[in-house]
């Protein structure tokens, strides 16, 4: 459908008579031969299609590709609207648009569809375009921390009481593991911890083993200032949950993991570390001093 402005197209409908070859040539034409705005009306173009079942999945791929390779930048969007109340719950209305007010226009369209068809609609996805590059951009008003109300963040900062450090590590290997081997890895890794209570002669670290819950095992080492839990799935995956109140920092926890991995083909696939305590803790104990105001306050 063309608009009254210079015969440019502002609506394109991909209906049931279209096929993959036609739409592929259509998209390639814009990519390789024409400036898109020689044919499409800038800021007004809408491409519509429908997907009645998974056999129409190429409609979805075409519209996504057109938005990413032809329209590219904001305010270009790809939208999926599910329609319920038909025998086929896979029915979706798909569209690509450059309207900068697409959300409000979607409200109008979906309301109209519901009124005229009796179907219920649900906007399931709105995927925007790339941010527009603005060369030599200068903000009309550069904002600094002084422009913001810092009352609530400062209250949160002062309310926190960090008590310790927790790290969660996931390791995987394609090599063989056994309960005995995993236990020995834990015992070996424990020697890397310079936790004060571990150096006390009168405290013995007890490692408890539970192996009646599946193919693998759970190992638990505890002491007065912390604990380590190791979960082996019986195959090639190991979870390590380390917590300590005192004496362990981020570097030492990583050293623990390296010692655990030594002489194995285990590799780290996930590593998370968190300060633990109460009062909405976000800072580690070693970097927090309640008597010192943060630089941004």
């Amino acid at each position: 459908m063309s608009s009254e402005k210079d015969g440019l197209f502002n609506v394109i409908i991909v209906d049931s008579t279209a096929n993959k070859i036609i739409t592929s040539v259509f998209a390639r034409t814009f990519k390789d031969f024409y400036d898109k705005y020689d044919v499409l009306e800038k800021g007004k173009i809408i491409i519509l299609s429908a997907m009645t079942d998974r056999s129409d999945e190429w409609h979805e791929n075409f519209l996504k590709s057109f938005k990413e390779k032809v329209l590219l930048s904001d305010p270009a969007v790809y939208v999926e609207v599910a329609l319920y109340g038909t025998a086929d719950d896979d029915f979706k209305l798909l569209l690509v648009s450059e309207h900068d007010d697409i959300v409000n226009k979607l409200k109008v369209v979906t309301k109209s569809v519901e009124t005229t068809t009796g179907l219920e609609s649900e906007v399931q996805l709105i995927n925007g375009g790339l941010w527009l590059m603005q060369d030599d951009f200068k903000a009309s008003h550069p904002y600094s921390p002084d422009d913001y109300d810092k009352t609530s963040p400062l209250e949160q900062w002062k309310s926190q009481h960090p008590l310790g450090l927790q790290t969660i590590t996931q390791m995987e290997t394609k090599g063989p593991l056994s309960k005995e081997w995993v236990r020995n890895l834990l015992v070996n890794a424990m020697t890397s911890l310079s936790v004060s209570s571990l150096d006390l002669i009168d405290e013995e670290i007890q490692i408890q083993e539970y192996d009646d819950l599946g193919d693998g095992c759970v190992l638990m080492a505890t002491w007065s200032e912390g604990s380590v839990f190791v979960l082996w799935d019986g195959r090639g995956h190991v979870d390590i949950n380390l917590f300590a109140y005192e004496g362990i920092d981020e570097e030492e926890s990583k050293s623990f993991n390296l010692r655990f991995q030594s002489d194995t083909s285990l590799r780290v696939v996930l590593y998370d570390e968190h300060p633990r305590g109460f009062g909405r803790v976000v800072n580690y104990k070693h970097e927090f001093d309640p008597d010192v105001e943060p630089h941004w306050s």
Side-chain angles (χ1 to χ4, degrees), residues 117-174:
T117 67
L119 302 177
E120 293 184 10
S121 64
E122 177 186 13
V123 178
Q124 294 186 327
L125 175 67
I126 300 179
N127 190 335
L130 299 175
W131 288 349
L132 291 172
M133 177 62 183
Q134 301 180 56
D135 295 325
D136 301 320
F137 172 78
K138 291 182 175 59
S140 59
H141 178 80
Y143 288 89
S144 70
D146 293 333
D147 292 305
Y148 297 89
D149 183 0
K150 297 179 284 291
T151 304
S152 178
L154 189 57
E155 289 176 353
Q156 182 271 323
W157 170 275
K158 293 181 177 180
S159 72
Q160 61 181 334
H161 294 272
L163 299 176
L165 173 72
Q166 179 185 27
T167 67
I168 298 173
T169 309
Q170 293 184 354
M171 299 183 183
E172 291 183 350
T173 180
K174 293 183 178 178

Side-chain angles (χ1 to χ4, degrees), residues 47-71:
I47 304 178
L48 290 166
S49 186
M51 189 171 71
T52 58
D53 55 47
R54 300 315 301 177
S55 65
D56 290 334
E57 191 170 1
W58 66 268
H59 289 239
E60 175 184 323
N61 295 334
F62 162 68
L63 265 70
K64 286 181 178 178
S65 178
F66 194 91
K67 175 258 189 181
E68 293 170 0
K69 296 180 180 179
V70 178
L71 299 182

Side-chain angles (χ1 to χ4, degrees), residues 20-217:
K20 298 179 185 178
I21 297 176
I22 293 175
T23 53
S24 178
V25 171
F26 176 77
R28 181 58 65 92
T29 299
F30 286 100
K31 183 180 178 184
D32 296 342
F33 299 105
Y34 293 106
D35 183 285
K36 57 191 174 185
Y37 297 127
D38 289 340
V39 180
L40 307 177
E41 186 176 355
K42 186 174 182 179
K44 300 295 184 182
I45 183 65
I46 295 179
I47 304 178
L48 290 166
S49 186
M51 189 171 71
T52 58
D53 55 47
R54 300 315 301 177
S55 65
D56 290 334
E57 191 170 1
W58 66 268
H59 289 239
E60 175 184 323
N61 295 334
F62 162 68
L63 265 70
K64 286 181 178 178
S65 178
F66 194 91
K67 175 258 189 181
E68 293 170 0
K69 296 180 180 179
V70 178
L71 299 182
L72 293 175
S73 303
D74 183 74
V77 293
Y78 166 79
V79 180
E80 293 183 2
V81 181
L83 298 174
Y84 302 108
T86 65
D88 190 347
D89 284 338
D90 287 335
F91 189 85
K92 286 184 180 179
L93 177 66
L94 312 174
L95 68 92
V96 165
S97 175
E98 267 195 334
H99 280 275
D100 57 5
D101 193 24
I102 187 63
V103 173
N104 286 325
K105 291 188 180 298
L106 274 175
K107 292 179 180 178
V108 174
V109 171
T110 53
K111 185 67 174 179
S112 176
V113 169
E114 291 178 349
T115 302
T116 57
T117 67
L119 302 177
E120 293 184 10
S121 64
E122 177 186 13
V123 178
Q124 294 186 327
L125 175 67
I126 300 179
N127 190 335
L130 299 175
W131 288 349
L132 291 172
M133 177 62 183
Q134 301 180 56
D135 295 325
D136 301 320
F137 172 78
K138 291 182 175 59
S140 59
H141 178 80
Y143 288 89
S144 70
D146 293 333
D147 292 305
Y148 297 89
D149 183 0
K150 297 179 284 291
T151 304
S152 178
L154 189 57
E155 289 176 353
Q156 182 271 323
W157 170 275
K158 293 181 177 180
S159 72
Q160 61 181 334
H161 294 272
L163 299 176
L165 173 72
Q166 179 185 27
T167 67
I168 298 173
T169 309
Q170 293 184 354
M171 299 183 183
E172 291 183 350
T173 180
K174 293 183 178 178
L177 290 174
S178 66
K179 285 182 285 189
E180 292 75 17
W181 197 356
V182 173
R183 183 185 182 93
N184 289 336
L185 294 177
L186 175 58
V187 172
N188 181 51
M190 292 292 292
T191 62
S192 70
L193 298 180
S194 60
V195 181
S196 58
S197 64
L198 292 180
D199 298 328
L200 298 177
I201 298 177
D202 59 349
E203 182 169 10
E204 181 180 355
I205 305 301
Q206 298 292 331
I207 297 180
Q208 298 175 285
E209 180 177 321
Y210 303 89
D211 59 2
D212 57 348
L213 301 176
D215 295 333
C217 65

